[in-house]
Amino acid sequence: MLFMGTYTPKLDEKGRLFLPAKFRDRLAEGLVVTQGQENCLVVWPSDVFAEEADRAAARPMTSRAARSYARILFAGGDEGKPDKQGRIGIPTHLREYAALDRDVVVIGVRDRLEIWNPEKWREFQAAALADFADLDEDDDE
């Protein structure tokens, strides 16, 4: 299953997020929520997170970038499963990192979901769309 689309669920008063219904079956066996780049959160299905963990472990620990990536990937991570209503808990430290309050934006990004503060998502999207408009297929050469 590919994760695609943009959704605007809300966090409840306990910091739980209702996952978009179309993704719940894929995440039912387990997931990991961790810090992402640009101050978003990443929700990985457990099996995909294991693959990402293997990729991180394969990088040489003599590389500063590899050590930093592994630290951020694992230190902020939280394992879980959706409850019967399709909610997942977002720990306080992750909500603070991503500046999440009640309103959030959830986007599908192929093999994972990202959870964004709505204002940060709008800012990122505006900049990314401007760059996207300027893409030239000859830039690869």
Side-chain angles (χ1 to χ4, degrees), residues 4 16 36 49 51 62 74 76 81 86 112-113 124-125 139:
M4 294 186 280
R16 296 176 298 193
F49 182 81
E51 293 170 6
T62 55
F74 294 106
K81 286 186 178 184
R112 65 193 179 277
L113 299 176
F124 174 83
Q125 189 178 35
D139 284 348

Side-chain angles (χ1 to χ4, degrees), residues 43-90:
V43 179
W44 306 86
S46 291
D47 60 318
V48 177
F49 182 81
E51 293 170 6
E52 186 65 19
D54 289 345
R55 280 191 290 276
R59 297 180 66 195
M61 285 297 106
T62 55
S63 163
R64 183 184 307 265
R67 289 191 310 272
S68 293
Y69 179 70
R71 288 172 181 148
I72 297 301
L73 182 68
F74 294 106
D78 185 66
E79 289 184 283
K81 286 186 178 184
D83 67 14
K84 292 181 186 197
Q85 286 84 30
R87 298 175 299 195
I88 59 170
I90 308 293

Side-chain angles (χ1 to χ4, degrees), residues 34-42 69 72 97 112 114 116 124:
T34 193
Q35 294 166 313
Q37 294 169 304
E38 291 90 25
N39 289 95
C40 72
L41 301 181
V42 180
Y69 179 70
I72 297 301
Y97 168 78
R112 65 193 179 277
E114 292 182 351
W116 287 78
F124 174 83

Side-chain angles (χ1 to χ4, degrees), residues 9-49:
K10 297 191 182 304
L11 292 176
D12 69 13
E13 63 282 348
K14 295 181 180 178
R16 296 176 298 193
L17 172 72
F18 281 93
L19 290 169
K22 69 188 290 183
F23 303 140
R24 292 178 190 170
D25 285 345
R26 176 65 178 100
L27 298 169
E29 294 302 313
L31 56 88
V32 175
V33 182
T34 193
Q35 294 166 313
Q37 294 169 304
E38 291 90 25
N39 289 95
C40 72
L41 301 181
V42 180
V43 179
W44 306 86
S46 291
D47 60 318
V48 177
F49 182 81

